[in-house]
Amino acid sequence: MGRRCRLDEQKVARLEHALDAGSAPHGWGEDQRWTLARVTALIEQLFRMSYTLRSTSYLLHRLGWSPPAPQRRRAERGRHRYVDQGGLAERGTTARDQDAWICFEDEAGQSLRPPKARTWSRRGRTPVVTGSGRLSLARLICLSPANAPA
């Protein structure tokens, strides 16, 4: 059967209200996640009661909270579209022979969000982490046949 919850109904309602308000008002605004350690610290801060992480997990499950299952994304695979369309020079010819430019293009992106980590939310509600953003870079280098070394 297990132990009874040490929080009475009023305290449970107060905890639910605090959890629904989000983690930012309680000092964890940088990534807005509810981790077991943060919920445990919140319980201690609000009620001066010490809970273990496991007890906090049981309490959250009883309140209808759970960590969302990770979404799997399908990897993109396949041939490159320019290779399939025949956009390459014939075998044995060089850019110098065709008086063509050679261009190298590179793109890179960096997410400014914190690394993936577990967070808790009510069942059926996906937590939204705001802020952060993305940094995108693109570089293009071209070599002219007129400036190519002999």
Side-chain angles (χ1 to χ4, degrees):
M1 177 95 176
R3 291 181 62 180
R4 282 188 35 184
C5 181
R6 293 186 289 157
L7 299 177
D8 61 23
E9 292 302 316
Q10 288 180 331
K11 289 180 180 177
V12 168
R14 186 172 163 204
L15 176 63
E16 281 190 280
H17 182 72
L19 291 172
D20 285 336
S23 61
H26 302 286
W28 294 291
E30 65 275 357
D31 60 4
Q32 299 146 16
R33 293 182 293 122
W34 276 123
T35 62
L36 286 177
R38 289 179 180 181
V39 176
T40 303
L42 179 66
I43 291 170
E44 181 143 356
Q45 175 188 345
L46 293 176
F47 310 117
R48 304 287 184 241
M49 290 183 163
S50 162
Y51 263 64
T52 64
L53 295 180
R54 180 172 288 207
S55 297
T56 302
S57 173
Y58 290 146
L59 177 61
L60 286 172
H61 279 289
R62 198 186 86 186
L63 296 177
W65 288 60
S66 66
Q71 295 181 351
R72 303 208 182 260
R73 291 179 28 191
R74 185 174 167 244
E76 294 181 25
R77 294 193 172 104
R79 294 180 53 98
H80 197 277
R81 64 177 182 241
Y82 295 122
V83 173
D84 291 340
Q85 295 171 358
L88 300 176
E90 294 179 23
R91 187 172 178 86
T93 60
T94 63
R96 186 179 293 137
D97 295 339
Q98 296 181 347
D99 198 32
W101 286 66
I102 297 177
C103 295
F104 299 95
E105 187 264 341
D106 185 29
E107 295 177 46
Q110 176 68 41
S111 175
L112 300 177
R113 286 188 173 177
K116 286 185 179 181
R118 179 170 287 214
T119 185
W120 288 73
S121 66
R122 289 198 181 276
R123 286 189 190 107
R125 292 188 196 168
T126 304
V128 177
V129 178
T130 59
S132 304
R134 183 167 176 79
L135 177 67
S136 296
L137 304 169
R139 176 178 287 176
L140 181 66
I141 299 173
C142 295
L143 301 174
S144 163
N147 296 334

